[in-house]
Every structure is written in structure tokens, then in C-alpha cells.
Amino acid sequence: MKIIMLGAPGAGKGTQAEIISKKLGIPTISTGNILRAAVKAGTPVGLQAKSYMDAGKLVPDDVIIGILAEALKGPECANGYILDGVPRTIPQAEAMEQQGVDIDVALDLAVKDEDIVVRMGGRRVCPACGATYHVVNNPPAKEGVCDKCGAELIIRADDAPETVKDRLRTYHEQTEPLLAFYKERGKLKTVENRPSIEENTAEIIKVLGI
């Protein structure tokens, strides 16, 4: 199964992608990871991306989608994949189609803006190993301390209420139009937010029929 995770920042895409990935035995692909891997490997598109990054410029959509298309041809993606964080815009989605990147389902995790502001305000991140927690939904065993490596947890600047509201505005302007894009193609499935991670997972499993 080839899945795109859609939803506002803080909707739980990363958390649910990880759970579905394990259940289906397929990898989660994020643009950040494949970009770093392509640059490190020195592939032609990786070197192209590096030239933009070294110049302090944003990597253009066609280069990012080229790296994505390359990554998806790998043997680990033979049985499917989950895309998290791409596409972010209609031009990216169109570029994916032109590069032959196909998907079965665009899964939208629908969460109200006000719920996201509250949710992200409770998020805590480990600066050492990258593990994420939530003071209500997924607290660490010891308050303020990472379960995995024992480092002190932090609140990311990205999770401050004003920053979250700015990110939501960007999402509504640039990424939300993808819902109509995939609905037209008969690939959109929507999961309305539930009170817990487990309930959301159960609903996703039902919607995907897995």
C-alpha cells in the first residue's frame, strides 16, 4: 500500500505513520531523511540539492521530487511506503505524478486548529535522540526526562502558540488544497480526530481496511 499522510502540523502524522509502518511492514519516507541520504551518497540529484543548500537556497520542487522518485525505486519500497511531509503543495503533487510516483491513499488526519494549538503546546522533544512526548497523551515515565536516553526534554520554538498559528496559516494556504486535489482523483480518505493516539490508530486501520 502506498500512502500519503496529510494533515496540519501537529495532527499526528509522524506518530501514526510509525504505527502503520510497523503494522504493514513498509517504510516511512520523509523528505528530510531522503534529502540527507542523497546528499551523503553523492547521487546526481543529491549533488544538485547540495549546490542549492550550500548557497543557502531552498531546494526546488523538481529536485526534491527527483530525489523522492529515486528513493522509492529502492527494494525496501517494493511492497509500498508511507510519505510524510511530501507533497506540501499542488505543484509538488503534480511533479510527483509527472515523475511516475503513484499512491493508493491520501490519508487526511483532520484536527481542529484550536485542538492543535493545545496539543503542540504540550509537546516535549528530546534534543539528544529526537524522541517526542506529550505531557497528556504520551508523557515520559519521569517528567521532563527522555525515557530512551535520559536527556532533559525541551519545548521546540516551533511549538510555541504564536508559531503554531503561523504554521497553521501556511498549512491552510499551501497544503490544504491537496485535499481537493486527491479527492478529485478518488484517493482521499479522512479520519476525524479521536481523543487518544490508540483511538486514532483504530480508526485509521478501519478506514484503510488493514
Side-chain angles (χ1 to χ4, degrees):
M1 189 175 270
K2 299 165 185 174
I3 304 166
I4 287 173
M5 302 296 286
L6 295 175
K13 298 185 295 296
T15 301
Q16 295 298 340
E18 196 178 326
I19 295 167
I20 303 163
S21 166
K22 284 177 185 162
K23 183 170 176 60
L24 293 177
I26 56 175
T28 298
I29 309 288
S30 77
T31 41
N33 290 347
I34 58 168
L35 199 53
R36 283 189 290 274
V39 169
K40 191 176 176 185
T43 65
V45 276
L47 293 172
Q48 210 178 345
K50 188 175 186 297
S51 68
Y52 285 100
M53 290 155 76
D54 288 348
K57 295 176 182 174
L58 283 175
V59 181
D61 284 352
D62 61 333
V63 177
I64 286 181
I65 302 306
I67 289 171
L68 176 67
E70 199 175 68
L72 298 182
K73 287 174 187 161
E76 68 279 6
C77 295
N79 294 323
Y81 45 79
I82 300 166
L83 299 182
D84 180 15
V86 62
R88 288 185 188 276
T89 61
I90 298 273
Q92 284 187 357
E94 289 170 342
M96 280 170 55
E97 288 187 343
Q98 286 156 15
Q99 292 261 11
V101 176
D102 190 30
I103 61 127
D104 300 313
V105 178
L107 186 68
D108 174 39
L109 306 185
V111 187
K112 291 176 183 167
D113 283 10
E114 55 267 34
D115 292 341
I116 283 184
V117 174
V118 171
R119 181 185 287 186
M120 290 177 80
R123 189 150 69 176
R124 300 292 182 269
V125 179
C126 175
C129 73
T132 58
Y133 301 88
H134 192 278
V135 292
V136 177
N137 297 332
N138 181 30
K142 185 180 177 187
E143 190 178 338
V145 177
C146 178
D147 291 348
K148 293 181 180 175
C149 71
E152 191 174 334
L153 301 176
I154 59 167
I155 301 172
R156 296 190 321 172
D158 268 5
D159 293 337
E162 282 316 305
T163 311
V164 172
K165 286 173 188 171
D166 282 341
R167 291 174 70 198
L168 284 168
R169 271 192 291 275
T170 302
Y171 165 77
H172 291 308
E173 287 167 15
Q174 295 181 8
T175 307
E176 200 169 45
L178 285 169
L179 302 184
F181 180 89
Y182 285 114
K183 189 174 183 180
E184 280 171 16
R185 284 152 177 75
K187 295 187 174 182
L188 182 70
K189 291 186 186 289
T190 301
V191 170
E192 297 293 339
N193 186 42
R194 299 293 194 275
S196 70
I197 290 171
E198 293 76 17
E199 286 171 90
N200 276 312
T201 302
E203 190 61 21
I204 288 168
I205 287 168
K206 191 165 90 180
V207 163
L208 293 178
I210 56 176

